[in-house]
């Protein structure tokens, strides 16, 4: 759609600007201020310079948390995106069952994140949880509180349970927008199922899949509540992802300076990734002539 | 409203002042000389504002990298940033 | 003859193929739904059991179903006020987010203006910003303006990610409305506010509903900020639950009942937006 050039549109945007500036810009400025200073409480600050940044950038603890975070995001993307697409292809196209599937699938998305954590915390226990009990029956002593591998598997399965539906819903919406004529044409050409997927369905889903990857990457990158409730970042620090580590520093130890420096680096990484995705997305939109 | 908790210092105030004036400057430029997007070596369409953003974000990472990898004074990193900025505005 | 067989085979082949394929599809779908529902079933099951029964032995369904856990929550103000607090700030947040996002989304969908793309990107980054980064400065900010432990503080803090989301969703829906409608209305002598409320808003009613649903949902499920910004008066239910976990000797039954009660509001509203959920998640871009 051609848009009209009109700078008075700024007045319509102004309320959003004021509100978001209040809740984003002021805190961000504060974080920058804190990151360069040291404090012992009571709003008394001492100039520290770039010391905290140097600490954060060279701290093996932060590096380890960053590595875990990347590994976690990579794993859940590798599982959720293909699985979500597969589910979307299996969903009924229309009718009552389509609605039923949609509603049931969306349920996990609406559960408060700490309740999601609680559910899986219970489910993984060998005494009262279904999963732990079943695994024990198979001869595996499931203990996510002691065994880092078990903790990781629990957290990953939880995230798959929680968010795969989002990918599936998006892919499903993309599939719904394909006109029936495309499939008929493919049938006349005797295209194989794989070719239909590769040359008709996948290109049509490209846009929504990009959004799905973006949302899943970002949300997994800032995951806090669910693993915190299940494992508390443990055992040891094996499931301490970036946000968990940050909150431990900021609110637990009340180290304003290091926490602020940490926050800024965290935010810069997010900013870079968002920008890359946004650029790719707008270029795609343009290519499709939107 | 007490602003003491924000812990302002002169250097951070200057830092934000510089960023704010850059934004104002580029807005004025955009009004005076309307932006025309062009496609540079990154093969994406960029306007003047986009290039400013790429410069600022890149500079942040250059400074962080400098701090993490070398023990040399931070001023040198700013020098690199200036070169980087020139490159971005010329070629991206 | 050869020609007919050639035309017939694909049809036969696809029918022959499609029957088992449909079945695998159904199997996959059913397995997935079971995977979705089993954990929820487990929560519901435990909420109907006494703590002694839960810890006493492993059962697949409650042996002596009891509503006692729900009675505990619904009669104790320190429990049920958590729900009231949550709903208050969630509704405040939804109204606030929509009120500011509607005009902004209209501007983005209809006009070009200086800095529009950058502004839009900046809003996106706020949706992507980790709450953990903002927890501490928010705490300081709202303490200094005297809003700590009030509903409005949480509602304002949640606008950080809900306003950008609402703008994105609404912009996607508004793009689908042809611009001729605006022009005709202006020619007919409508002023902008009157046109917006009387003509435009009914046209994108489903979009507004979806945006409201998403604001409601993300504000409802968030814990970190709402816990950081409240102490007693505005404490959300999610935070009360975590404190019970860490403090007392863990009454699993009550905990599960509390969990079930937090799912109900979402489950109720989801039915109404079921056909638009995906479009909403795609930020209106399907």
């Amino acid at each position: 759609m051609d848009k009209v050039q009109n700078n008075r549109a700024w007045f319509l945007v102004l309320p959003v600007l004021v509100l978001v500036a209040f809740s984003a810009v002021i805190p961000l400025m504060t974080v920058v201020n804190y990151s360069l200073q040291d404090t012992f409480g009571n709003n008394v600050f001492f100039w520290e310079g770039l010391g905290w940044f140097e600490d954060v950038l060279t701290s093996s603890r932060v590096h380890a948390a960053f590595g875990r975070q990347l590994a976690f995001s990579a794993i859940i993307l590798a599982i959720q995106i293909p699985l979500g697409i597969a589910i979307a292809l299996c969903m009924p196209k229309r009718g009552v069952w389509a609605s039923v599937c949609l509603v049931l699938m969306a349920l996990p998305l609406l559960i408060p994140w700490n309740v999601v954590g609680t559910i899986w915390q219970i489910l993984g226990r060998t005494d009262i949880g279904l999963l732990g009990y079943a695994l024990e029956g198979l001869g595996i002593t499931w203990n996510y509180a002691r065994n880092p591998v078990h903790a990781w598997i629990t957290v990953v399965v939880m995230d798959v349970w929680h968010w795969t539906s989002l990918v599936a819903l998006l892919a499903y919406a993309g599939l719904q927008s394909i006109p029936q004529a495309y499939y008929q044409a493919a049938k006349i050409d005797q295209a194989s199922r794989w070719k239909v997927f590769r040359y008709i369905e996948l290109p049509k889903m490209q846009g929504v899949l990009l959004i799905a990857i973006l949302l899943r990457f970002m949300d997994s990158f800032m995951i806090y509540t669910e693993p915190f409730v299940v494992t508390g970042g443990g055992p040891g620090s094996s499931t301490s992802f970036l946000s968990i580590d940050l909150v431990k520093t900021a609110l637990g130890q009340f180290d304003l300076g290091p926490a602020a420096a940490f926050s800024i680096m965290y935010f810069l990484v997010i900013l870079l990734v968002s920008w890359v995705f946004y650029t790719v997305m707008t270029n795609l939109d343009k290519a499709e002539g939107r | 409203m007490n602003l003491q908790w924000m812990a302002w210092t002169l250097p951070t105030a200057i830092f934000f002042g510089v960023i704010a004036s850059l934004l104002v400057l580029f807005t004025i430029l955009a009004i005076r000389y309307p932006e025309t997007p062009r496609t540079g070596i990154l093969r994406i369409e960029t306007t003047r504002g986009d290039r400013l953003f790429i410069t600022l974000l890149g500079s942040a990472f250059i400074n962080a990298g400098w701090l993490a990898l070398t023990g040399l004074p931070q001023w040198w990193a700013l020098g690199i940033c200036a070169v980087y900025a020139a490159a971005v505005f010329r070629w991206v | 003859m050869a020609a007919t067989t050639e035309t017939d085979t694909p049809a036969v082949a696809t029918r022959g193929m499609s029957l088992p394929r449909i079945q695998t599809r159904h199997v996959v779908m059913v397995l997935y739904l079971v995977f979705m529902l089993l954990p929820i079933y487990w929560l519901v099951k435990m909420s109907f059991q006494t703590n002694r029964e839960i810890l006493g032995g492993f059962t697949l369904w409650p042996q002596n179903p009891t509503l006692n856990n729900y009675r505990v929550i619904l009669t104790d103000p320190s429990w049920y006020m958590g729900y009231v607090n949550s709903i208050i700030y969630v509704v405040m947040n939804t109204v606030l987010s929509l009120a500011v996002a509607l005009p902004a989304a209209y501007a983005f969908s209809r006009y070009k203006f200086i800095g529009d793309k950058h502004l839009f990107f900046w809003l996106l980054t706020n949706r992507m910003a980790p709450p953990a980064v903002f927890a501490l400065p928010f705490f300081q900010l709202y303490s200094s303006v005297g809003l700590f432990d009030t509903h409005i503080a949480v509602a304002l803090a949640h606008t950080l990610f809900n306003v950008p989301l609402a703008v994105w969703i609404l912009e996607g829906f508004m793009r689908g409305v042809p611009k001729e409608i605006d022009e005709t209305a202006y020619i007919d002598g409508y002023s902008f506010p009157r046109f917006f409320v009387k003509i435009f808003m009914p046209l994108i009613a489903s979009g507004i509903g979806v945006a409201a649903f998403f604001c409601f949902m993300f504000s409802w499920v968030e814990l970190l900020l709402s816990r950081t910004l409240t102490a007693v008066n505005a404490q959300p239910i999610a935070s009360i639950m975590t404190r019970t976990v860490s403090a007392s000797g863990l009454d699993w039954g009550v905990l599960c009942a509390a969990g079930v009660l937090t799912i109900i509001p979402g489950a109720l509203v989801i039915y109404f937006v079921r056909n638009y959920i995906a479009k909403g998640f795609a930020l209106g871009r399907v």
Side-chain angles (χ1 to χ4, degrees), chain C residues 82-109:
Chain C
Y83 290 97
V84 176
N85 289 333
S86 289
I87 287 177
I88 291 175
Y89 74 69
V90 166
V91 169
M92 279 165 89
N93 171 274
T94 307
V95 172
L96 192 64
S97 300
L98 285 182
V100 297
L102 271 169
Y106 182 79
F108 280 122
S109 74

mmCIF file of all heavy atoms in Angstrom, chain C residues 82-109:
data_model
loop_
_atom_site.group_PDB
_atom_site.id
_atom_site.type_symbol
_atom_site.label_atom_id
_atom_site.label_comp_id
_atom_site.label_asym_id
_atom_site.label_seq_id
_atom_site.Cartn_x
_atom_site.Cartn_y
_atom_site.Cartn_z
ATOM 1 N N GLY C 82 -4.286 -12.555 45.609
ATOM 2 C CA GLY C 82 -3.278 -12.649 44.549
ATOM 3 C C GLY C 82 -3.921 -12.630 43.181
ATOM 4 O O GLY C 82 -3.465 -11.939 42.273
ATOM 5 N N TYR C 83 -5.036 -13.389 43.036
ATOM 6 C CA TYR C 83 -5.745 -13.403 41.759
ATOM 7 C C TYR C 83 -6.324 -12.030 41.460
ATOM 8 O O TYR C 83 -6.243 -11.542 40.338
ATOM 9 C CB TYR C 83 -6.863 -14.449 41.768
ATOM 10 C CG TYR C 83 -6.333 -15.855 41.765
ATOM 11 C CD1 TYR C 83 -6.211 -16.564 42.950
ATOM 12 C CD2 TYR C 83 -5.929 -16.443 40.588
ATOM 13 C CE1 TYR C 83 -5.699 -17.849 42.960
ATOM 14 C CE2 TYR C 83 -5.418 -17.713 40.583
ATOM 15 C CZ TYR C 83 -5.303 -18.421 41.771
ATOM 16 O OH TYR C 83 -4.785 -19.669 41.766
ATOM 17 N N VAL C 84 -6.924 -11.408 42.499
ATOM 18 C CA VAL C 84 -7.520 -10.093 42.306
ATOM 19 C C VAL C 84 -6.442 -9.110 41.859
ATOM 20 O O VAL C 84 -6.619 -8.373 40.874
ATOM 21 C CB VAL C 84 -8.203 -9.625 43.611
ATOM 22 C CG1 VAL C 84 -8.736 -8.212 43.441
ATOM 23 C CG2 VAL C 84 -9.309 -10.586 43.996
ATOM 24 N N ASN C 85 -5.288 -9.122 42.546
ATOM 25 C CA ASN C 85 -4.200 -8.210 42.182
ATOM 26 C C ASN C 85 -3.759 -8.439 40.752
ATOM 27 O O ASN C 85 -3.605 -7.498 39.977
ATOM 28 C CB ASN C 85 -3.000 -8.419 43.104
ATOM 29 C CG ASN C 85 -3.273 -7.924 44.501
ATOM 30 O OD1 ASN C 85 -4.086 -7.033 44.686
ATOM 31 N ND2 ASN C 85 -2.620 -8.511 45.474
ATOM 32 N N SER C 86 -3.545 -9.714 40.403
ATOM 33 C CA SER C 86 -3.103 -10.024 39.043
ATOM 34 C C SER C 86 -4.083 -9.476 38.036
ATOM 35 O O SER C 86 -3.693 -8.810 37.064
ATOM 36 C CB SER C 86 -2.973 -11.537 38.850
ATOM 37 O OG SER C 86 -1.869 -12.016 39.559
ATOM 38 N N ILE C 87 -5.377 -9.737 38.256
ATOM 39 C CA ILE C 87 -6.374 -9.306 37.271
ATOM 40 C C ILE C 87 -6.416 -7.786 37.185
ATOM 41 O O ILE C 87 -6.503 -7.231 36.087
ATOM 42 C CB ILE C 87 -7.752 -9.907 37.620
ATOM 43 C CG1 ILE C 87 -7.705 -11.403 37.289
ATOM 44 C CG2 ILE C 87 -8.862 -9.232 36.836
ATOM 45 C CD1 ILE C 87 -8.933 -12.164 37.624
ATOM 46 N N ILE C 88 -6.277 -7.111 38.329
ATOM 47 C CA ILE C 88 -6.316 -5.641 38.294
ATOM 48 C C ILE C 88 -5.201 -5.099 37.416
ATOM 49 O O ILE C 88 -5.432 -4.324 36.495
ATOM 50 C CB ILE C 88 -6.199 -5.052 39.721
ATOM 51 C CG1 ILE C 88 -7.457 -5.355 40.518
ATOM 52 C CG2 ILE C 88 -5.962 -3.541 39.665
ATOM 53 C CD1 ILE C 88 -7.391 -4.916 41.960
ATOM 54 N N TYR C 89 -3.954 -5.539 37.664
ATOM 55 C CA TYR C 89 -2.887 -4.924 36.870
ATOM 56 C C TYR C 89 -2.909 -5.400 35.423
ATOM 57 O O TYR C 89 -2.529 -4.663 34.521
ATOM 58 C CB TYR C 89 -1.510 -5.046 37.545
ATOM 59 C CG TYR C 89 -0.837 -6.402 37.543
ATOM 60 C CD1 TYR C 89 -0.358 -6.981 36.376
ATOM 61 C CD2 TYR C 89 -0.621 -7.077 38.735
ATOM 62 C CE1 TYR C 89 0.276 -8.198 36.395
ATOM 63 C CE2 TYR C 89 0.026 -8.309 38.763
ATOM 64 C CZ TYR C 89 0.467 -8.857 37.576
ATOM 65 O OH TYR C 89 1.092 -10.062 37.596
ATOM 66 N N VAL C 90 -3.378 -6.615 35.195
ATOM 67 C CA VAL C 90 -3.447 -7.097 33.817
ATOM 68 C C VAL C 90 -4.467 -6.276 33.021
ATOM 69 O O VAL C 90 -4.195 -5.847 31.897
ATOM 70 C CB VAL C 90 -3.810 -8.601 33.784
ATOM 71 C CG1 VAL C 90 -4.219 -9.011 32.390
ATOM 72 C CG2 VAL C 90 -2.639 -9.439 34.247
ATOM 73 N N VAL C 91 -5.628 -6.006 33.628
ATOM 74 C CA VAL C 91 -6.643 -5.224 32.924
ATOM 75 C C VAL C 91 -6.154 -3.797 32.705
ATOM 76 O O VAL C 91 -6.297 -3.228 31.610
ATOM 77 C CB VAL C 91 -7.975 -5.239 33.706
ATOM 78 C CG1 VAL C 91 -8.946 -4.230 33.131
ATOM 79 C CG2 VAL C 91 -8.567 -6.632 33.668
ATOM 80 N N MET C 92 -5.542 -3.210 33.746
ATOM 81 C CA MET C 92 -5.003 -1.852 33.593
ATOM 82 C C MET C 92 -4.011 -1.809 32.454
ATOM 83 O O MET C 92 -4.032 -0.906 31.602
ATOM 84 C CB MET C 92 -4.289 -1.417 34.884
ATOM 85 C CG MET C 92 -5.212 -0.918 35.969
ATOM 86 S SD MET C 92 -4.354 -0.864 37.544
ATOM 87 C CE MET C 92 -3.691 0.737 37.503
ATOM 88 N N ASN C 93 -3.138 -2.807 32.429
ATOM 89 C CA ASN C 93 -2.121 -2.837 31.387
ATOM 90 C C ASN C 93 -2.736 -2.961 29.996
ATOM 91 O O ASN C 93 -2.336 -2.271 29.061
ATOM 92 C CB ASN C 93 -1.158 -3.991 31.648
ATOM 93 C CG ASN C 93 -0.211 -4.215 30.495
ATOM 94 O OD1 ASN C 93 -0.535 -4.928 29.557
ATOM 95 N ND2 ASN C 93 0.922 -3.572 30.544
ATOM 96 N N THR C 94 -3.745 -3.838 29.881
ATOM 97 C CA THR C 94 -4.365 -4.051 28.569
ATOM 98 C C THR C 94 -5.008 -2.769 28.065
ATOM 99 O O THR C 94 -4.808 -2.369 26.907
ATOM 100 C CB THR C 94 -5.422 -5.167 28.669
ATOM 101 O OG1 THR C 94 -4.798 -6.315 29.254
ATOM 102 C CG2 THR C 94 -5.969 -5.527 27.325
ATOM 103 N N VAL C 95 -5.765 -2.099 28.939
ATOM 104 C CA VAL C 95 -6.442 -0.867 28.529
ATOM 105 C C VAL C 95 -5.416 0.193 28.131
ATOM 106 O O VAL C 95 -5.511 0.824 27.065
ATOM 107 C CB VAL C 95 -7.338 -0.352 29.682
ATOM 108 C CG1 VAL C 95 -7.895 1.023 29.351
ATOM 109 C CG2 VAL C 95 -8.462 -1.336 29.938
ATOM 110 N N LEU C 96 -4.414 0.356 28.962
ATOM 111 C CA LEU C 96 -3.379 1.363 28.713
ATOM 112 C C LEU C 96 -2.656 1.084 27.400
ATOM 113 O O LEU C 96 -2.489 1.966 26.552
ATOM 114 C CB LEU C 96 -2.389 1.323 29.882
ATOM 115 C CG LEU C 96 -1.377 2.451 30.005
ATOM 116 C CD1 LEU C 96 -2.107 3.740 30.255
ATOM 117 C CD2 LEU C 96 -0.423 2.151 31.153
ATOM 118 N N SER C 97 -2.251 -0.178 27.220
ATOM 119 C CA SER C 97 -1.491 -0.531 26.019
ATOM 120 C C SER C 97 -2.310 -0.257 24.765
ATOM 121 O O SER C 97 -1.811 0.342 23.805
ATOM 122 C CB SER C 97 -1.100 -2.010 26.044
ATOM 123 O OG SER C 97 -0.310 -2.285 27.161
ATOM 124 N N LEU C 98 -3.582 -0.687 24.775
ATOM 125 C CA LEU C 98 -4.415 -0.502 23.588
ATOM 126 C C LEU C 98 -4.664 0.973 23.327
ATOM 127 O O LEU C 98 -4.629 1.418 22.178
ATOM 128 C CB LEU C 98 -5.740 -1.235 23.749
ATOM 129 C CG LEU C 98 -5.667 -2.746 23.596
ATOM 130 C CD1 LEU C 98 -7.051 -3.331 23.734
ATOM 131 C CD2 LEU C 98 -5.069 -3.117 22.254
ATOM 132 N N ALA C 99 -4.902 1.746 24.407
ATOM 133 C CA ALA C 99 -5.231 3.155 24.230
ATOM 134 C C ALA C 99 -4.106 3.897 23.523
ATOM 135 O O ALA C 99 -4.354 4.725 22.647
ATOM 136 C CB ALA C 99 -5.519 3.808 25.584
ATOM 137 N N VAL C 100 -2.855 3.599 23.874
ATOM 138 C CA VAL C 100 -1.774 4.318 23.205
ATOM 139 C C VAL C 100 -1.389 3.660 21.888
ATOM 140 O O VAL C 100 -0.898 4.319 20.978
ATOM 141 C CB VAL C 100 -0.518 4.468 24.097
ATOM 142 C CG1 VAL C 100 -0.825 5.286 25.326
ATOM 143 C CG2 VAL C 100 0.074 3.133 24.450
ATOM 144 N N ALA C 101 -1.610 2.353 21.779
ATOM 145 C CA ALA C 101 -1.146 1.652 20.578
ATOM 146 C C ALA C 101 -2.055 1.915 19.383
ATOM 147 O O ALA C 101 -1.581 1.931 18.247
ATOM 148 C CB ALA C 101 -1.052 0.151 20.836
ATOM 149 N N LEU C 102 -3.348 2.133 19.606
ATOM 150 C CA LEU C 102 -4.283 2.301 18.490
ATOM 151 C C LEU C 102 -3.908 3.462 17.573
ATOM 152 O O LEU C 102 -3.722 3.253 16.369
ATOM 153 C CB LEU C 102 -5.716 2.470 19.010
ATOM 154 C CG LEU C 102 -6.499 1.169 19.209
ATOM 155 C CD1 LEU C 102 -7.788 1.442 19.973
ATOM 156 C CD2 LEU C 102 -6.811 0.520 17.868
ATOM 157 N N PRO C 103 -3.756 4.703 18.106
ATOM 158 C CA PRO C 103 -3.369 5.780 17.194
ATOM 159 C C PRO C 103 -2.003 5.549 16.558
ATOM 160 O O PRO C 103 -1.820 5.835 15.368
ATOM 161 C CB PRO C 103 -3.359 7.028 18.089
ATOM 162 C CG PRO C 103 -3.481 6.560 19.472
ATOM 163 C CD PRO C 103 -4.032 5.181 19.460
ATOM 164 N N ALA C 104 -1.065 5.014 17.338
ATOM 165 C CA ALA C 104 0.277 4.807 16.798
ATOM 166 C C ALA C 104 0.240 3.811 15.644
ATOM 167 O O ALA C 104 0.858 4.033 14.600
ATOM 168 C CB ALA C 104 1.213 4.313 17.889
ATOM 169 N N ALA C 105 -0.503 2.721 15.828
ATOM 170 C CA ALA C 105 -0.583 1.716 14.772
ATOM 171 C C ALA C 105 -1.215 2.314 13.525
ATOM 172 O O ALA C 105 -0.798 2.030 12.403
ATOM 173 C CB ALA C 105 -1.390 0.517 15.248
ATOM 174 N N TYR C 106 -2.212 3.188 13.723
ATOM 175 C CA TYR C 106 -2.839 3.851 12.577
ATOM 176 C C TYR C 106 -1.811 4.692 11.830
ATOM 177 O O TYR C 106 -1.734 4.647 10.600
ATOM 178 C CB TYR C 106 -4.011 4.727 13.051
ATOM 179 C CG TYR C 106 -4.735 5.407 11.927
ATOM 180 C CD1 TYR C 106 -5.653 4.704 11.169
ATOM 181 C CD2 TYR C 106 -4.479 6.733 11.606
ATOM 182 C CE1 TYR C 106 -6.315 5.315 10.118
ATOM 183 C CE2 TYR C 106 -5.134 7.358 10.564
ATOM 184 C CZ TYR C 106 -6.051 6.640 9.821
ATOM 185 O OH TYR C 106 -6.691 7.231 8.777
ATOM 186 N N ALA C 107 -1.008 5.429 12.593
ATOM 187 C CA ALA C 107 0.007 6.259 11.953
ATOM 188 C C ALA C 107 0.975 5.400 11.156
ATOM 189 O O ALA C 107 1.316 5.720 10.011
ATOM 190 C CB ALA C 107 0.768 7.061 13.016
ATOM 191 N N PHE C 108 1.425 4.284 11.734
ATOM 192 C CA PHE C 108 2.385 3.430 11.033
ATOM 193 C C PHE C 108 1.780 2.797 9.787
ATOM 194 O O PHE C 108 2.466 2.580 8.791
ATOM 195 C CB PHE C 108 2.894 2.321 11.956
ATOM 196 C CG PHE C 108 3.957 2.777 12.905
ATOM 197 C CD1 PHE C 108 3.784 2.655 14.267
ATOM 198 C CD2 PHE C 108 5.136 3.323 12.420
ATOM 199 C CE1 PHE C 108 4.770 3.073 15.143
ATOM 200 C CE2 PHE C 108 6.128 3.738 13.292
ATOM 201 C CZ PHE C 108 5.936 3.616 14.659
ATOM 202 N N SER C 109 0.477 2.482 9.847
ATOM 203 C CA SER C 109 -0.106 1.773 8.712
ATOM 204 C C SER C 109 -0.503 2.712 7.583
ATOM 205 O O SER C 109 -0.677 2.276 6.456
ATOM 206 C CB SER C 109 -1.320 0.964 9.173
ATOM 207 O OG SER C 109 -2.404 1.821 9.420
#
